[in-house]
Amino acid sequence: MLKIYYHKSLGGWQKPEITPLENLVMHPAAKVLHYAVELFEGMKAYRGVDGIIRIFRQMEAAARGLQQVLWLYGEDHQLTEVGTMNIFMFYVNDQGEQELITPPLNGLILPGITRDSILDMTRQWGKFKVREATFTMPMVSELLNQGRLLELFGTGTACVVSPINRINYLGQDLYIPTMEQEKPVHELIRETLTDIQYGKVDHPWSVVID
């Protein structure tokens, strides 16, 4: 097993060691134990002040056959995140150019490393415009009706890239052609990132551990 000790007085993380398998000894007040009493992956349960257990993130989505909750903000219904993922939209802008857009880091948005990597990577490609800007559900609906919405997808450390093919908005199903594109951008992004992560290509983002 791999063990890496942390000692603040010695400057932090110490030299990694490979040792024989043994049981872990943990203090009962270790934060990981107390954080883990919550169900984390997309659903959380809380015991309220009245003793009643409540599930956070509103069974309503599951009842409609949906897998995630799209978080909207403000009266204009700004897209912020989908579940615990950042969200990206690939579309044709008013100038007829293909553009990749994601909400800006304005205090509402998680500054995810996958989000940042995608922005840096796609800007280096130079194949289409890349921008951080607010976009709303009315804008999504209009682009969809005009045939200019190409792809919507979530991004995160665990999923890397997760395509979106349907949004239930104000009681109406909006079908997104994310997986109908001939050469989907989200697939190219996922393949490029995972190739870097698994060492299929040499890249400064992939750090080799000796």
Side-chain angles (χ1 to χ4, degrees):
M1 62 185 291
L2 171 67
K3 291 200 298 189
I4 310 175
Y5 286 100
Y6 182 90
H7 295 287
K8 187 176 182 180
S9 61
L10 297 178
W13 293 107
Q14 303 302 296
K15 184 179 179 179
E17 298 178 278
I18 298 295
T19 67
L21 182 67
E22 59 181 306
N23 292 332
L24 294 176
V25 179
M26 300 182 69
H27 192 282
K31 289 183 179 179
V32 65
L33 298 177
H34 299 275
Y35 184 65
V37 298
E38 298 179 347
L39 304 178
F40 179 66
E41 288 295 334
M43 182 184 294
K44 297 184 180 180
Y46 298 88
R47 186 180 296 277
V49 293
D50 53 4
I52 296 175
I53 295 178
R54 295 172 173 83
I55 294 178
F56 181 59
R57 294 169 45 195
Q58 307 105 251
M59 290 171 48
E60 183 179 348
R64 298 184 183 183
L66 304 171
Q67 296 177 323
Q68 287 288 359
V69 174
L70 177 61
W71 299 105
L72 306 178
Y73 177 77
E75 295 182 358
D76 56 350
H77 292 179
Q78 300 170 27
L79 284 79
T80 60
E81 295 177 341
V82 53
T84 56
M85 297 179 286
N86 294 118
I87 189 167
F88 282 79
M89 179 171 71
F90 188 56
Y91 73 111
V92 178
N93 63 23
D94 292 339
Q95 290 72 45
E97 306 165 311
Q98 291 185 337
E99 182 170 273
L100 183 67
I101 188 173
T102 192
L105 300 179
N106 55 8
L108 295 173
I109 307 301
L110 177 72
I113 187 63
T114 305
R115 172 189 182 276
D116 185 64
S117 300
I118 290 172
L119 289 173
D120 286 348
M121 185 175 66
T122 52
R123 283 168 176 156
Q124 291 172 15
W125 290 350
K127 295 181 179 181
F128 41 77
K129 294 188 69 173
V130 180
R131 190 162 57 101
E132 296 173 75
T134 298
F135 56 102
T136 66
M137 276 307 300
M139 177 182 174
V140 168
S141 298
E142 182 178 1
L143 289 171
L144 188 60
N145 290 334
Q146 295 174 354
R148 293 163 52 197
L149 177 55
L150 304 177
E151 301 177 41
L152 272 176
F153 53 91
T155 67
T157 306
C159 71
V160 185
V161 175
S162 182
I164 299 170
N165 74 339
R166 177 167 66 100
I167 298 175
N168 185 273
Y169 176 63
L170 300 179
Q172 179 182 3
D173 280 330
L174 304 180
Y175 290 92
I176 316 299
T178 304
M179 293 176 286
E180 299 173 12
Q181 306 304 316
E182 185 176 350
K183 296 181 179 179
V185 165
H186 76 275
E187 286 190 2
L188 178 60
I189 290 172
R190 182 180 62 244
E191 289 173 3
T192 305
L193 280 178
T194 54
D195 282 353
I196 294 172
Q197 292 168 340
Y198 286 96
K200 293 183 179 179
V201 295
D202 290 329
H203 198 280
W205 291 349
S206 184
V207 181
V208 176
I209 304 298
D210 296 326

